[in-house]
Amino acid sequence: MSKYQHIQQEAYEANMQLPKLGLVLFTFGNVSAADRSLGVFAIKPSGVAYEDLTPGKMVIVDFEGKTVEGDLRPSSDTLTHAVLYKHWEKIGGIVHTHSTYATSWAQSQRDIPIFGTTHADYNTVDIPCAPPMSDEMIQGNYEHETGFQIMNCFAAKGLSYEEVEMVLVGNHAPFTWGKNAAKAVHNSAVLEQVAQMALLTEQINPKAPRLKDALIRKHYERKHGPDSYYGQ
Amino acid sequence: MSKYQHIQQEAYEANMQLPKLGLVLFTFGNVSAADRSLGVFAIKPSGVAYEDLTPGKMVIVDFEGKTVEGDLRPSSDTLTHAVLYKHWEKIGGIVHTHSTYATSWAQSQRDIPIFGTTHADYNTVDIPCAPPMSDEMIQGNYEHETGFQIMNCFAAKGLSYEEVEMVLVGNHAPFTWGKNAAKAVHNSAVLEQVAQMALLTEQINPKAPRLKDALIRKHYERKHGPDSYYGQ
Amino acid sequence: MSKYQHIQQEAYEANMQLPKLGLVLFTFGNVSAADRSLGVFAIKPSGVAYEDLTPGKMVIVDFEGKTVEGDLRPSSDTLTHAVLYKHWEKIGGIVHTHSTYATSWAQSQRDIPIFGTTHADYNTVDIPCAPPMSDEMIQGNYEHETGFQIMNCFAAKGLSYEEVEMVLVGNHAPFTWGKNAAKAVHNSAVLEQVAQMALLTEQINPKAPRLKDALIRKHYERKHGPDSYYGQ
Amino acid sequence: MSKYQHIQQEAYEANMQLPKLGLVLFTFGNVSAADRSLGVFAIKPSGVAYEDLTPGKMVIVDFEGKTVEGDLRPSSDTLTHAVLYKHWEKIGGIVHTHSTYATSWAQSQRDIPIFGTTHADYNTVDIPCAPPMSDEMIQGNYEHETGFQIMNCFAAKGLSYEEVEMVLVGNHAPFTWGKNAAKAVHNSAVLEQVAQMALLTEQINPKAPRLKDALIRKHYERKHGPDSYYGQ
């Protein structure tokens, strides 16, 4: 029995949520789950259909992006996952999808404005869209650089990855993360919903104002603050 | 056997309709069912997934918002429900969701214009959008004040909660109600449908006129007037 | 055994297609099926949920709108069906829905422009939108007058109900018909699809031209002309 | 046992994917599968509902469009398939649908701009929209000419059918192809997704820029180039 079985199982279950939540067409997405004590993560193999996945097919990769165990080639986005795990030390799961609305915002190269409490239940700021990468980064180690592009965007905007668990990569698509793979998948579904409602809001009222600060703070705090009273 | 079992069952069944009708993602919604002779209502526990709900998990709360029976923490929106039950004496059920189209209208801070007979089958007026709350209200007893914000909106517009059973809370999301929980859920689904068609109507014809008075009265009366002839 | 059983069965089966095709929310629709030799039609009872329908619940009504057999009250739109059956003598089935996109066009009070071959496979003209009725018609025998409003629209535009089997009633919603109830339901689904694509076409290209005449004639003829070669 | 059974089975399975992927209403689509050694293809019979299809109902047609085996009339679009198989010698499967978003772009007579990496994973160029056909072509051998219209469009734009496996026919709808029927269906679903996201992108940002060249090349190469590293 592999000593990585627990994260293979976690990554498998989280990957299988993507089609159920309507977040992927074919193989346009991948989830990974990390075990920090072992310094590795389990990730979906590249181009394998969701209906053919099994826990044992999840590939084990270290934080440098080197495959540690597994017969299949890991997701082509593996190096982006590796960079984020290496530098953002409290992340336990990462998701990448091409979900319809979030990807459309990424293609439009705009941050998603904070228009309502659904957004504020998760973030106190607009959801950031990292600018498209430079030609040099693209022609270099592309997936590796994608990770740095995300981190640079957070640094430039003064954001914390522990508070904002989602990003759009300009011209490309969203990445989300969380304490574990299930939470990262949860964030992907929330992002897609928030992305759709932000577009509809602008269509209904092109001058819709951003959410007022008091409401942003209230909704975020009641779910995440020291005196939170949401959930059990 | 709890003496509240009948409203727990009613609240449970109504809550389970929300995901079936496509009105909620994850736990973004809650339904309550009241027994006015007992002076209490049963409401969904906070943050519990719909697939994990049972009738016995519904929390019993009085009209001041005090938990009367139940091991779990009630919905974070419980105080809004309590205020509405206390002041609007003929309500038997209340629903709160973040359904996609109704929430987008709430975020846009616009009333939903009455464009057709689908709308007029339920309301003779635009569906009201209460303005965002003042910073004071938000920083005070927020969910309690949300109830008052809704009532203030109805008072300012001269609306009756017995005739108009739905409202948008600006920047936030919809609330609906009715004689019982099932009718309140029904109204949530109707509101979502009317909200979607109003947006599409404005996209097809930005100058689409509001429904003429004769048609508004006719459709409302044939369903709700003294000589109604809809249904059995 | 009722001598109307065959049209009750036909109407029942056609009604049950509406929720399957996503054309109705709750009870927002009704189908009827006529037997012209008996001079009657079977129609859905008013306000009864689709899951509670049975063939025996279909109400038998004559072409004056008088109930001939059945314990339940027929659809509130029954008189509109009766008028169309009485005056358009080759119709065997009629459908009324509040389907999302077709209803939005009706609310916008615009004909649906013929933009492509999907539309031309069924109609050589824009799908007509009858203007909202006069206050006199609304305050008179409303549902009866709705039938006349539809016929007046066809007369004013020089359309044949045998060629164009669908109409939008301004501010209200669509009606479709056909040689039998199944064909009328088919037309409702096609109308909804065409309505959605026409809106999207205008969003992609606000100056999208109408379909050229040669293509309109070609697609209509290959499906409906004397030398048609579509189907078996 | 027919010597065409293998392509009948392939065509049958590919046709049955269309409703599962949400790409067709009723019979608005068809797939064919070719055997080049035998010089024929199997194609859906015209106007037969998907639930009534069987492998044995697939009609065998040669590259001139002549039926070789089968009791049913082949799809009305058969000649378009035949022309493409005859002239584009590496195609093994063809799909035609009236899928919602791709058809709306065809009706708008615009190429689909390349806005993101989802698009670039499949094409390095905008997805071409062939102009509507001349009246002469329409009144001549229409479906035959549709094939030539597609080939003319590729010639005029300097595109290779081996690289770009999808096209919109102006005012009509999309065609896709591939090495076999399954790949052609895959391309139809990808086209529909890319078409929807391109519309949403323009709605979010009417000035959204096209994807930069470095990113187009990177994404296409990593999936299709000599050093591709996507998949197993």
Side-chain angles (χ1 to χ4, degrees), chain D residues 170-226:
Chain D
N171 275 148
H172 187 174
F175 284 82
T176 64
W177 51 86
K179 64 180 176 188
N180 55 35
K183 181 58 164 66
V185 170
H186 179 98
N187 288 338
S188 279
V190 169
L191 169 56
E192 180 67 3
Q193 177 71 9
V194 167
Q196 180 179 9
M197 295 201 305
L199 167 54
L200 295 174
T201 300
E202 293 193 343
Q203 290 181 331
I204 294 167
N205 183 0
K207 297 184 178 168
R210 290 171 82 263
L211 195 61
K212 61 197 299 187
D213 279 347
L215 216 39
I216 291 175
R217 277 196 301 274
K218 179 65 193 176
H219 267 263
Y220 192 77
E221 297 287 315
R222 80 174 191 167
K223 221 169 167 174
H224 308 278

Side-chain angles (χ1 to χ4, degrees), chain B residues 2-189:
Chain B
S2 164
K3 67 177 170 182
Y4 304 120
Q5 205 182 0
H6 60 299
I7 51 175
Q8 286 182 313
Q9 185 66 30
E10 184 188 343
Y12 168 74
E13 288 175 9
N15 269 293
M16 295 307 285
Q17 285 300 308
L18 295 187
K20 277 191 199 155
L21 287 163
L23 298 173
V24 291
L25 174 69
F26 300 133
T27 59
F28 299 5
N30 46 72
V31 186
S32 65
D35 182 325
R36 292 210 164 260
S37 65
L38 297 173
V40 298
F41 59 94
I43 191 165
K44 182 177 175 297
S46 181
V48 175
Y50 287 96
E51 56 266 33
D52 297 333
L53 282 189
T54 59
K57 285 184 183 168
M58 298 297 131
V59 186
I60 306 300
V61 179
D62 70 19
F63 296 167
E64 303 303 323
K66 228 182 82 182
T67 295
V68 170
E69 189 180 293
D71 299 327
L72 298 169
R73 190 189 285 181
S75 164
S76 56
D77 299 300
T78 293
L79 285 180
T80 310
H81 291 242
V83 168
L84 294 180
Y85 281 126
K86 182 173 177 182
H87 294 271
W88 286 354
E89 298 187 356
K90 293 185 181 163
I91 293 179
I94 297 174
V95 176
H96 174 53
T97 78
H98 286 216
S99 68
T100 305
Y101 287 89
T103 302
S104 297
W105 279 92
Q107 292 189 162
S108 80
Q109 299 185 26
R110 287 184 58 199
D111 297 351
I112 302 178
I114 182 165
F115 281 133
T117 59
T118 320
H119 187 134
D121 282 339
Y122 288 84
N123 299 288
T124 60
V125 294
D126 294 355
I127 296 167
C129 181
M133 289 151 74
S134 69
D135 286 11
E136 250 179 4
M137 290 174 93
I138 294 167
Q139 285 149 2
N141 192 342
Y142 174 60
E143 290 80 9
H144 204 248
E145 296 288 2
T146 300
F148 286 106
Q149 187 75 354
I150 292 171
M151 289 193 297
N152 291 345
C153 167
F154 268 57
K157 288 177 184 272
L159 301 176
S160 155
Y161 76 87
E162 291 183 73
E163 285 184 7
V164 178
E165 298 184 324
M166 48 190 74
V167 73
L168 310 173
V169 176
N171 275 147
H172 186 173
F175 284 83
T176 63
W177 50 86
K179 64 181 175 189
N180 55 37
K183 181 58 164 64
V185 169
H186 178 99
N187 288 337
S188 278

